[in-house]
């Protein structure tokens, strides 16, 4: 290996060796011991945490080829575990922080209900707060995308931990592009209109796009990101609505392209939506109600210790409709970062910067 470098975990495409050779993350040579320095939990966004099944890496890994079913969500199963943040995405964010903080990667299983992983995060926060009881150093959170909702859910699932975290001098939670009010990315993925989710299909065998999307439709954590679940129209809290939208969209595709009508199952495999089961939607609706209640009642008590950074893109989906070209996504009226509309990222009283 290059001088000072070594394989880090099961991070290769094969799921066997180092994903990248890199020097270990170090603070400055004269840095104080970890317990005498602030800690920062870095929480990845959706798909940003690696996953393993036993000793085998299954996300991201070529093991997904012809093995897509290993990513399927199984309620109550502990078979799949988080296995670190994707270094290609997060190393350049975490490495500079090591000069002033003890950096703690909190990878999480983005398939699981957010509430489950929030309780695990709360336990990890408690442990680091205990380590710093004598020094009084703060424990901070830097959370990307879905990770920001995970952090907020700690307040719902473990309010005493949240209060203990934020009452310490210097505590803060920084969110990067968090879909506080939801995002249309889940529907875009399930309708096959977004390469964000096509990463799963691309790693599967040919013409298994439909199964890849259905696997994601059954992941509670992923569906908990969907916007407008509480709105009466278009009725996204009902599985029947998704099924009707999927059938109408597939029919329009087949009508517009005559050869699809003769292709049978391959056409459906390429164009059919993933449809969330009603139980998964019910859980997503329940968390959305709790988060909105938190925003209106609890948030003012700690908004001054939250910070938000948002991005800017030419098009950000925020809504859908049927038009002359079929099913289309609407552009966010006030802009957004390409995935999260600005209006759905902002929180009342929370200082916000735009990049």
């Amino acid at each position: 290996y290059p001088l000072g470098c070594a394989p880090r975990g099961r991070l290769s495409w094969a799921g066997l060796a180092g994903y990248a050779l890199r020097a270990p993350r170090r603070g400055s040579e004269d840095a104080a011991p970890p317990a005498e320095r602030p800690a920062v939990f870095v929480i990845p966004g959706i798909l940003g945490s690696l996953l393993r099944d036993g000793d085998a890496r299954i996300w991201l890994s070529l093991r997904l080829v012809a093995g897509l079913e290993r990513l399927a969500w199984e309620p109550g199963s502990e078979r799949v575990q988080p296995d670190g943040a994707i270094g290609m995405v997060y190393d350049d964010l975490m490495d500079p922080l090591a000069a002033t903080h003890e950096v703690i990667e909190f990878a999480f299983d983005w398939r699981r209900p957010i509430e489950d992983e929030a309780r695990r995060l709360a336990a990890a926060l408690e442990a680091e707060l205990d380590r710093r009881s004598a020094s009084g150093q703060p424990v901070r959170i830097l959370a990307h995308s879905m990770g920001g909702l995970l952090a907020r859910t700690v307040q719902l699932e473990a309010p005493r931990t949240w209060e203990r975290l934020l009452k310490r001098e210097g505590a803060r939670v920084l969110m990067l592009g968090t879909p506080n009010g939801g995002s249309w990315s889940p529907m875009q993925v399930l309708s096959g209109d977004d390469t964000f989710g096509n990463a799963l299909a691309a790693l599967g065998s040919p013409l298994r796009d439909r199964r890849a999307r259905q696997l994601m439709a059954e992941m509670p954590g992923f569906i908990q990101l969907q916007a407008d679940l509480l709105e009466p129209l278009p009725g996204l809290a009902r599985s029947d609505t998704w099924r009707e939208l999927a059938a109408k969209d597939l029919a329009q595709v087949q009508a517009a392209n005559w050869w699809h009508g003769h292709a049978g199952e391959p056409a459906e495999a390429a164009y059919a939506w993933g449809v969330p089961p009603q139980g998964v939607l019910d859980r997503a609706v329940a968390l959305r109600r709790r988060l909105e209640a938190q925003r209106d009642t609890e948030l003012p008590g700690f908004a001054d210790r939250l910070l938000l950074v948002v991005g800017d893109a030419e098009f950000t989906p925020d809504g859908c409709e049927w038009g002359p070209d079929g099913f289309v996504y609407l552009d966010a009226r006030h802009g957004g970062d390409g995935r999260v509309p600005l209006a759905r990222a902002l929180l009342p009283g929370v200082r916000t910067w735009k990049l």
Side-chain angles (χ1 to χ4, degrees):
Y1 300 122
L3 183 63
C5 297
R8 185 183 182 280
R10 306 176 190 86
L11 298 174
S12 71
W13 280 110
L16 297 173
Y19 167 82
L21 296 177
R22 60 193 188 187
R25 189 171 294 116
R26 298 189 182 95
S28 60
E29 293 183 1
D30 58 351
E36 296 177 15
R37 308 167 72 200
V40 58
F41 278 73
V42 176
I43 309 176
I46 181 72
L47 305 184
S49 295
L50 299 157
L51 301 176
R52 62 178 170 82
D53 179 356
D55 291 331
R57 166 68 50 68
I58 59 171
W59 179 264
L60 286 165
S61 170
L62 286 178
R63 289 177 183 273
L64 278 179
V65 176
L68 198 61
E69 300 296 329
R70 300 182 76 169
L71 269 180
W73 162 246
E74 301 169 354
S77 173
E78 301 295 331
R79 175 179 59 83
V80 175
Q81 293 291 324
D83 199 25
I86 295 178
M88 183 186 300
V89 179
Y90 293 102
D91 277 356
D92 286 346
L93 180 65
M94 294 189 289
D95 288 345
L97 292 171
T100 54
H101 291 71
E102 181 186 10
V103 178
I104 301 168
E105 292 180 37
F106 189 83
F108 66 97
D109 187 344
W110 35 266
R111 308 166 314 140
R112 295 175 62 87
I114 292 175
E115 304 95 314
D116 291 359
E117 293 295 80
R119 290 190 292 272
R120 192 169 64 84
L121 174 58
L125 291 168
E126 284 282 0
E128 295 305 322
L129 287 165
D130 287 345
R131 289 181 66 200
R132 289 163 177 79
S133 294
S135 67
Q137 289 287 352
V139 175
R140 296 164 174 153
I141 294 176
L142 194 160
H144 175 222
S145 182
M146 182 180 181
L149 292 184
L150 177 59
R152 283 182 60 192
T153 305
V154 170
Q155 191 275 329
L156 301 175
E157 293 293 314
R160 291 184 180 179
T161 300
W162 185 258
E163 182 179 359
R164 184 184 177 199
L165 174 79
L166 291 186
K167 76 177 183 180
R168 193 166 288 186
E169 184 69 26
R172 53 185 172 270
V173 176
L174 170 58
M175 295 176 286
L176 308 177
T178 292
N180 286 299
S183 166
W184 288 86
S185 286
M187 178 178 275
Q188 282 192 294
V189 169
L190 300 187
S191 65
D193 293 304
D194 188 359
T195 54
F196 168 77
N198 288 344
L200 283 175
L203 289 171
S205 57
L207 298 178
R208 294 195 62 187
D209 319 41
R210 180 183 190 179
R211 180 55 186 155
R213 290 194 284 270
Q214 187 57 39
L215 281 175
M216 296 202 76
E218 295 169 8
M219 296 177 182
F222 182 64
I223 300 302
Q224 285 173 319
L225 303 180
Q226 177 61 45
D228 279 1
L229 288 172
L230 303 186
E231 298 300 319
L233 294 175
L236 298 181
R238 302 190 306 274
S239 186
D240 285 348
T241 299
W242 290 81
R243 194 170 293 106
E244 291 166 6
L245 290 170
K248 185 176 179 181
D249 186 49
L250 180 60
Q252 285 202 338
V253 169
Q254 291 175 325
N257 300 281
W258 65 268
W259 58 87
H260 289 154
H262 302 281
E265 176 59 24
E268 288 202 11
Y271 294 100
W273 291 29
V275 176
Q278 189 60 52
V280 170
L281 288 169
D282 290 345
R283 184 144 200 174
V285 167
L287 179 61
R288 176 50 51 191
R289 287 190 175 128
R290 294 176 72 192
L291 287 169
E292 294 205 0
Q294 179 197 67
R295 178 198 63 200
D296 297 337
T297 60
E298 303 293 337
L299 181 66
F302 53 81
D304 60 326
R305 280 147 290 173
L306 303 186
L307 306 99
L308 175 65
V309 174
V310 299
D312 187 48
E314 292 185 4
F315 177 83
T316 301
D318 193 12
C320 59
E321 68 178 15
W322 295 96
D325 297 323
F327 184 81
V328 297
Y329 291 95
L330 306 177
D331 192 12
R333 182 176 302 176
H334 302 293
D337 66 5
R339 300 203 180 279
V340 183
L342 178 61
R344 296 184 187 273
L346 299 177
L347 289 171
V350 174
R351 290 167 291 168
T352 303
W353 289 259
K354 179 189 282 189
L355 295 178

